Amino acid sequence: MTSPFNRRAALALADPHLQQALGGGTGRFGELRLKAFESTAAPLALRARAREIRRRTFEEVGRHLETLMANLRRAGVEVHAAPDAEAARGIIAGIARRHGAKLAVKSKSMASEEIHLNEALEKAGVRPVETDLGEWILQLAGETPSHLVAPALHKTLDQVADLFARKVDPGAGRDPEALTALARRALRQEFLAAGVGISGVNFAIAETGTLCLVTNEGNGRLVTTLPRVHIALMGFEKVVPTLEEALTLLAVLPRSATGQKITSYFTMVTGPRRPGEPDGPEEVHLVLLDNGRSRHLGGPFQEAFHCIRCGACQNACPVFQTVGGHAYDSVYGGPIGAVLSPMLRGLEASGELAAASSLCGACQEACPVLVDIPRMLIEMRGARVAQRTIGRGEALLFRAAAWTMRRPALWELSFRALSWLGRPLSGRLKAGWLPGALGAWAKGRELPFPARRSFRDRWRERQRGRKAAPASSPAAEERTPEGMVDRLRRQAALGHGPAAPPPDTLPEVEVPDPPARFQHEFEAVGGKVFRPASLEEAKAHLLELAGRWRGRPAAMSGGLPLPAAEWLREAGFEVLPPSGEGDGRDRLAAAGLGVTGCAWAVAETGTLVLPSGGDSPRLHSLLPEAHLALVREETIVPHLSALGPRIRGAIAGERPSCVQLITGPSRSADIALTLIRGVHGPREVYVILLPRGLA
Ligand code: SF4
């Protein structure tokens, strides 16, 4: 009998739209991933270090979770434990009800998909609105995500355009940019009206009690800033002990997911808004989800918790590339999903997914934290056999194989017989020629012609040759196919990771001129840098930029290194002060240019770092059409890793409720993988880079 997975896979193979959508998508992600790692000094050492961080975290996961909870509470976050999906749904719906919320905006969260949160919110009278562009498309279509990072990967441009024409605007058209602009307009209203914001968590930093979100569109920032209440939901595996370790994982996650050095936004939330801060939620809750995870701690599948949900294994997997994510019938599809789904839902429900793999190892090869997925798939298959969740026929077949394998002579004889019998069939075996379940198995397969000499024969011959003759030189080995393959195999094994333990301090690319490198990287992600030689030039740049949105107000943070507000007022611009409440938020949303300072900037990635504070609202770099940052050259650090001690110092000292890393404009590729700017946040980003002594 055909298994449910096979039936779903057959439907996927017969769906021309899905095949068209999958065709370019997964392959393009794979190419971008390989290119992105080229910009690191030691890609293998970086990945080995990331793996080590995840491995060590789970050696003492209980201690790290205790530290995390203590520091979250210290920062003013209310922590809730949810042993299962029902408890998590109840907690979140209860918080929303308590605050009288009728509308909840959500940023992408696989954990919320796992617990089917939207249905529970609707039952509780709260309308959930997905705000990630891909998730919004799926909500309109009544579908579920098919990929960890690109949830609407399975949809073609024509399908999205038809959906928008039916559900959003009959004149929506087929231009991805226009479709994205429609989504921006529709969702802006929802953000401004929502009572509750619900997000996932990429990393939860134990030492500071900080919840981190890795996003590109800016919806994560809006969800965690505009509503009065922010509820974060995460499986306990998202804990990371220290800031530096989170920054190392940040160096591999976007590279593996979308081929970016870093995403447009890395949002670090440490509690609700502080007294004096003009924006941010008044309450922050964390729902810590178990839902079947803890029974695997210390077991053979614990390594699956090392996963940082980048989706690279899905892109690399030949099965996923062919049938897409929905064939797995689980929120977690692809190779890691084939392990996670049975872990969370049980072998009975999802164990068959372990067989949906060729065990080629491409998933582990692609994984930034080197999760040994093939090993776990094999163990999962073993567990299915042990629990007898496989069919009787299959079990009988494997028992017979095991009995024969324990008798080497019989095993060899049976293979000789099979080879002899198979010869007339090979090349002529077609779909359906075999009876029953064997016919289904043979569908799409071709029986190769059996080798004239078996592996065992060739091995014996080789051993005899080695005894008779002196060891062959490498050059002589190269002349035989076996010798060459052997050498390649040994070399490939070396390429799987450094043999020595990874160093604590990773080698980093040299940055001899940080301001020049910052400018190069900032412009590479779509920004524009001005480097004025005098205050007059700086003023002229500022007025020229603001003039592009003449007639619209300019939003101004305080404590800037230039008298920018004064210059703009003198030139007749309306200037909005650093406040974002009530009507102020609508005014801010209508602003053309938002002007902020910048605590630090990172040369190697072109990143701006903006801690929140009384003078530094979160929204000024988010709601206006364009964002301008005034950056002093001496605040540029060479590498992302240099931010660790600085951010730690800020969290301990000024205690910002949010530290925001910004790298380029808001962006999305959720419509047919076409890159569009300004989906939720600013379309354009500018920097006036001030030389030493000018400010
Ligand atoms: S298993 Fe590895 S490659 Fe797959 S999603 Fe997780 S981190 Fe990415």
Side-chain angles (χ1 to χ4, degrees), residues 438-450:
L438 284 178
W441 176 82
K443 202 167 182 176
R445 288 180 162 90
E446 278 191 20
L447 188 66
F449 198 82

Side-chain angles (χ1 to χ4, degrees), residues 33 148-149 252-253 256-257 303-316 333-337 340 362-373 376:
R33 174 177 61 80
L148 287 171
V149 174
V252 295
L253 173 56
S256 306
E303 195 181 345
F305 297 136
H306 297 185
C307 170
I308 54 173
R309 309 282 193 270
C310 72
C313 58
Q314 298 183 318
N315 302 329
I336 190 63
L340 276 174
C363 47
Q364 189 184 12
E365 182 72 36
C367 178
V369 288
L370 304 168
V371 174
D372 193 348
I373 298 174
M376 289 189 285

Side-chain angles (χ1 to χ4, degrees), residues 488-511:
L488 292 176
R489 185 181 52 73
R490 277 184 271 117
Q491 282 182 348
L494 287 177
H496 277 284
D504 279 338
T505 310
L506 286 166
E508 300 201 270
V509 283
E510 277 192 35
V511 180

Side-chain angles (χ1 to χ4, degrees), residues 77 173 185 342 396 659:
V77 177
R185 276 200 297 280
L396 201 66
V659 176

